[in-house]
Amino acid sequence: MSGKNLTAVSIASTRTTQIIDITKDVADSVKRTAISNGICFVYVPHTTAAVTINENADPDVKSDIIMGLENIVPDDPGYAHAEGNSPAHIKSSIIGSSVNILIEDGQLVLGTWQGIYFCEFDGPRSRKVYVRVMAG
Ligand code: ZN
């Protein structure tokens, strides 16, 4: 799937649970379009992964998010789903499958401490993130 204003970013996660900074990939996808003002829609087409925006300064924030999610969603053998990865499905739904970022003068409008993160919950796997840019 591709188009003038649609980019598929490939991601190779290397761990079971991993938060990967994709800010530069998204910014590059925006630059490849001719759109300088609008909205960037970032979408993860997977049921055991997610995307979020959070702090990009202290790497402890990433590991704390992972620890917090593991506290909320324990590896409980009582889950019914036969594939055995229900915690990954639940974490994916908690974090969500998309984020929107404003674009101004060709740049992502992010706060000083914000980065865009792909969240792997059932890796390692080859993943895709779709970036769609809309003028407006
Ligand atoms: Zn499953």
Side-chain angles (χ1 to χ4, degrees), residues 19-66:
I19 295 181
I20 300 170
D21 190 339
I22 59 169
T23 309
K24 187 176 185 305
D25 298 294
V26 175
D28 288 348
S29 300
V30 171
K31 283 192 187 107
R32 279 194 290 271
T33 73
I35 296 170
S36 55
N37 295 287
I39 292 176
C40 173
F41 183 71
V42 181
Y43 178 74
V44 171
H46 303 290
T47 61
T48 55
V51 63
T52 191
I53 295 174
N54 216 297
E55 175 169 331
N56 66 357
D58 180 359
D60 283 345
V61 172
K62 291 197 292 185
S63 52
D64 284 353
I65 288 171
I66 290 170

Side-chain angles (χ1 to χ4, degrees), residues 48 81 83 85 89:
T48 55
H81 179 46
E83 195 184 11
N85 61 354
H89 288 297

Side-chain angles (χ1 to χ4, degrees), residues 78-117:
Y79 294 121
H81 179 46
E83 195 184 11
N85 61 354
S86 281
H89 288 297
I90 295 165
K91 291 170 192 169
S92 168
S93 279
I94 288 172
I95 299 295
S97 58
S98 66
V99 294
N100 296 304
I101 304 111
L102 298 177
I103 301 162
E104 200 69 33
D105 298 327
Q107 306 291 317
L108 297 170
V109 180
L110 289 168
T112 305
W113 309 113
Q114 285 184 317
I116 306 164
Y117 290 103

